[in-house]
Amino acid sequence: MYTCINGHYPYGHIGGVVATVFYARVSTLDQTLEHQVTQARKAGFVIDEVISDVGVSGVKHRLIDRPQGRRLFDILRAGDVLVVRWLDRLGRSYEDVTSTVREFMNSGVVVKTVINGMVFDGATKDPVQQAVRDALISFLAATAQAQSEATKIAQRAGIDAARRDERKYPGRKPSFDRDKFEVVCKLIEQGNGTTAVAKLTGLSRQAVLRIRDNRLGVEAALLRWGM
């Protein structure tokens, strides 16, 4: 049975009506689910359903291996539209991004991005358009992987520097352990406010703000203290 959403019947099988599904992978503090959805709607997308994976790494988990990402392959049908903020929401490796976008296109699903309004449609038969489309997919996939690797290098360098300086500058010992740190990060990523997170975890607002505003610095401090 199909449920009517925003006046549409999802997944393109009732009277020829197609669905527009927005997928978000939320893994950083500055890209909340609400932010991504708001950005998409401001860009003019009429979204029938929002599907998201929160706190899931695009490096460690392919789209099909994510709890909600897997649903996209089950529910999207030919004619439906998949909207993402950028192709890196689908994956952070070249192979993952290219294979995922092509699999959707081969099944008749149109992939659109909020940033720059790009459209990837497998319906085109013009060889020049196909070549341009495929080249663009490859370029964006390579860019996503390069950005991911650059981030990892920067993080590793910061952590290594903190470890080298730990004897000279140990800093103040954190008032929370790593498990509590990870819980706070996840709650913030889910869109909870500072006061709510403090109440849920038993930490002070100052501690929550410190984690929110300087996640890498706090993580380095935990490492310095062997936590």
Side-chain angles (χ1 to χ4, degrees), residues 8-27:
H8 291 199
Y9 288 93
Y11 319 129
H13 297 290
I14 302 295
V17 178
V18 300
T20 297
V21 177
F22 181 82
Y23 174 75
R25 176 179 60 79
V26 183
S27 60

Side-chain angles (χ1 to χ4, degrees), residues 29 55 60 176-190 197 201 203 211 215 218-219 222 227:
L29 299 182
K60 297 179 180 179
F176 44 84
D177 59 16
R178 179 165 292 276
D179 288 341
K180 188 65 68 71
F181 166 73
E182 292 178 351
V183 169
V184 170
C185 291
K186 186 172 183 179
L187 288 171
I188 292 174
E189 289 170 354
Q190 291 173 345
V197 174
T201 60
L203 296 180
I211 294 172
R215 180 170 178 171
V218 173
E219 187 168 10
L222 290 170
M227 302 170 69

